[in-house]
């Protein structure tokens, strides 16, 4: 059995685009949309960044061909941001241009705080020309995020709100989980009341999801203003429950061979995942 299946199979659709399209089809049949993530980050060779760019364009074309309800999400460090910013911009523009031609959508993942400024300026650079085709992820654990959102609001941005998955200092981020959760609620309400474009509430935290749905009802904010986003393989019960209740649900579905950093972040989020991963290695 391949290592990816053994270890990361719960979180990753497989090695190939074929695996990914199969996973997307299954999600679509269950009433959910998908976001395709071709795994890879911190690329330091131009050739690899160009290859990732071509792969993303191929994904967009395949999704179009198969009439899939799915978009894509990219990491700027995979498209060459660590090599040269203008090179990365060129790659990003190629992907965005194809996404617009095919009437699709590109999410910018948010990586560690070393990239936050550059990701936000990249978003601002493209937001005007690709308004309906580009969104950016904002992390509630960062102290700066409220001011980042306020700085973006005039662009009517498309924002995916997450808690944040990287190890950050307490100077930059809230060290206590409760403060991250409170800030998530606060930023979600800020987004819902300040009129950006698409708002993606990306969390598996059932209590937060439940509270925000109640808050939207109370404040007469229609559910079609938001989509709930979750990661492939996490809280499938909640994914299905929300979809059945008629909410738009989108599942972030990674594939590819560079799965280790993504898998590691998922392990870190819940210590017991490490135990399950080790158990799957020894009990087959
Ligand atoms: P929390 O960590 O409080 O978990 C709530 C519950 O979800 C847990 O009690 C458990 O039941 C379940 N759960 C959470 N993580 C789990 C895991 N790994 N395994 C099993 N169960 C788990 N981050 C980032 O920094 N940049 C980004 O671009 C993105 N992009 C992104 C897209 C989408 C669609 C999602 C859903 C998430 C991201 N993230 C991200 C990851 C995000 O920052 C965060 O690390 C995870 O979503 C876990 O946080 P929760 O909000 O789920 O809450």
């Amino acid at each position: 059995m391949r290592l990816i299946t053994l270890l990361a199979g719960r979180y990753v659709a497989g090695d190939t685009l074929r695996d990914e399209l199969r996973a997307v089809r299954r999600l679509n049949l269950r009433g959910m949309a998908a976001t395709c993530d071709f795994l890879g980050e911190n690329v330091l060779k131009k050739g690899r960044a160009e290859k990732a760019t071509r792969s993303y364009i191929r994904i967009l074309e395949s999704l179009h061909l198969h009439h899939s309800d799915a978009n894509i999400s990219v990491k700027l460090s995979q498209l060459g941001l660590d090599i040269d910013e203008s090179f990365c911009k060129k790659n990003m523009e190629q992907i965005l241009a194809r996404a617009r031609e095919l009437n699709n959508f590109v999410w910018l993942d948010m990586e560690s705080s070393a990239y936050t400024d550059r990701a936000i300026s990249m978003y601002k650079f493209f937001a005007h020309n690709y308004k309906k085709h580009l969104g950016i992820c904002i992390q509630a654990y960062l102290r700066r995020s409220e001011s980042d959102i306020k700085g973006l609001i005039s662009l009517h941005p498309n924002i995916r709100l997450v808690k944040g998955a990287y190890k950050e200092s307490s100077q930059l981020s809230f060290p206590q989980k409760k403060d991250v959760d409170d800030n998530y609620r606060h930023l979600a309400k800020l987004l819902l009341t300040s009129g950006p474009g698409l708002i993606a509430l990306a969390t598996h935290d059932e209590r937060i999801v439940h509270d925000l749905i109640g808050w939207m009802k109370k404040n007469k904010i229609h559910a079609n203003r938001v989509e709930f986003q979750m990661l492939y393989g996490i809280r499938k019960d909640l994914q299905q429950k929300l979809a059945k209740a008629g909410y738009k649900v989108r599942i972030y579905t990674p594939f590819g061979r560079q799965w280790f950093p993504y898998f590691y972040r998922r392990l870190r989020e819940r210590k017991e995942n490490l135990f399950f991963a080790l158990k799957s290695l020894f009990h087959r």
Side-chain angles (χ1 to χ4, degrees):
M1 196 186 286
R2 286 177 302 181
L3 198 60
I4 187 173
T5 320
L6 208 56
L7 278 176
R10 173 180 172 194
Y11 298 118
V12 172
D15 275 357
T16 64
L17 179 55
R18 209 166 166 199
D19 296 330
E20 178 76 351
L21 293 171
R22 199 176 303 128
V24 168
R25 194 169 52 244
R26 276 201 304 266
L27 289 166
N28 288 175
L29 285 172
R30 284 163 41 216
M32 292 181 266
T35 289
C36 299
D37 169 38
F38 176 55
L39 291 161
E41 51 202 90
N42 303 116
V43 165
L44 294 174
K45 288 196 174 133
K46 279 195 169 180
R48 276 190 58 201
E50 284 162 350
K51 198 169 166 207
T53 304
R54 285 195 300 275
S55 298
Y56 269 114
I57 290 172
R58 205 170 137 226
I59 297 169
L60 286 166
E61 289 167 351
S62 304
L63 295 174
H64 185 72
L65 192 72
H66 290 86
H67 307 287
S68 308
D69 185 0
N71 53 32
I72 60 168
S73 200
V74 303
K75 286 186 174 55
L76 291 175
S77 81
Q78 186 182 19
L79 301 181
L81 190 59
D82 290 330
I83 306 168
D84 171 28
E85 199 159 329
S86 58
F87 167 70
C88 177
K89 214 174 245 176
K90 213 179 84 202
N91 291 334
M92 188 68 200
E93 175 122 49
Q94 285 181 50
I95 296 173
L96 279 168
R98 196 66 182 123
R100 187 168 55 192
E101 277 164 13
L102 299 173
N103 197 25
N104 208 321
F105 191 92
V106 183
W107 282 106
L108 267 188
D109 279 352
M110 189 58 82
E111 302 179 68
S112 76
S113 58
Y115 296 95
T116 314
D117 281 332
R118 286 175 290 167
I120 290 176
S121 37
M122 189 73 81
Y123 181 78
K124 285 182 174 165
F125 180 82
F126 285 117
H128 182 66
N129 274 350
Y130 294 97
K131 210 177 187 54
K132 288 199 213 134
H133 305 278
L134 179 64
I136 186 166
C137 176
I138 296 285
Q139 298 153 323
Y141 67 1
L142 289 187
R143 296 179 190 274
R144 59 178 286 171
S145 288
E146 176 167 358
S147 122
D148 286 338
I149 289 177
K150 288 180 175 163
L152 286 166
I153 282 298
S154 66
L155 297 169
H156 303 290
N158 302 306
I159 291 188
R160 175 211 289 157
L161 185 63
V162 303
K163 288 190 187 175
Y166 296 80
K167 200 164 172 51
E168 299 290 354
S169 73
S170 57
Q171 264 178 322
L172 298 178
S173 66
F174 299 103
Q176 303 295 330
K177 181 171 164 31
K178 183 184 174 305
D179 294 331
V180 177
D181 292 354
D182 287 350
N183 201 39
Y184 190 100
R185 288 184 167 86
H186 171 65
L187 297 181
K189 290 174 188 172
L190 176 67
L191 288 170
L192 288 162
T193 46
S194 51
L198 174 65
I199 303 165
L201 298 173
T203 179
H204 318 90
D205 191 324
E206 189 160 5
R207 199 177 300 169
I208 290 186
V209 168
H210 181 264
D211 291 354
L212 288 175
I213 289 176
W215 187 85
M216 282 193 292
K217 280 184 184 152
K218 201 171 139 205
N219 289 279
K220 301 195 170 29
I221 297 172
H222 202 276
N224 66 7
R225 286 287 315 285
V226 301
E227 67 181 41
F228 290 98
Q229 296 191 356
M230 294 186 211
L231 301 177
Y232 184 79
I234 299 185
R235 290 300 313 262
K236 286 188 194 167
D237 57 334
L238 182 58
Q239 298 175 4
Q240 199 68 68
K241 189 168 128 188
L242 288 170
K244 277 205 176 126
Y247 296 102
K248 176 87 182 176
V249 177
R250 183 179 297 278
I251 308 302
Y252 184 103
T253 308
F255 79 100
R257 294 210 174 91
Q258 306 296 316
W259 50 267
F260 190 76
Y262 179 86
F263 173 62
Y264 179 72
R265 287 194 287 278
R266 302 291 78 81
L267 286 189
R268 265 198 28 198
E269 277 155 8
R270 277 184 97 214
K271 299 287 174 290
E272 58 265 44
N273 287 343
L274 185 60
F275 169 73
F276 287 122
L278 289 173
K279 204 170 131 199
S280 69
L281 267 182
F282 296 111
H283 297 276
R284 282 189 277 145

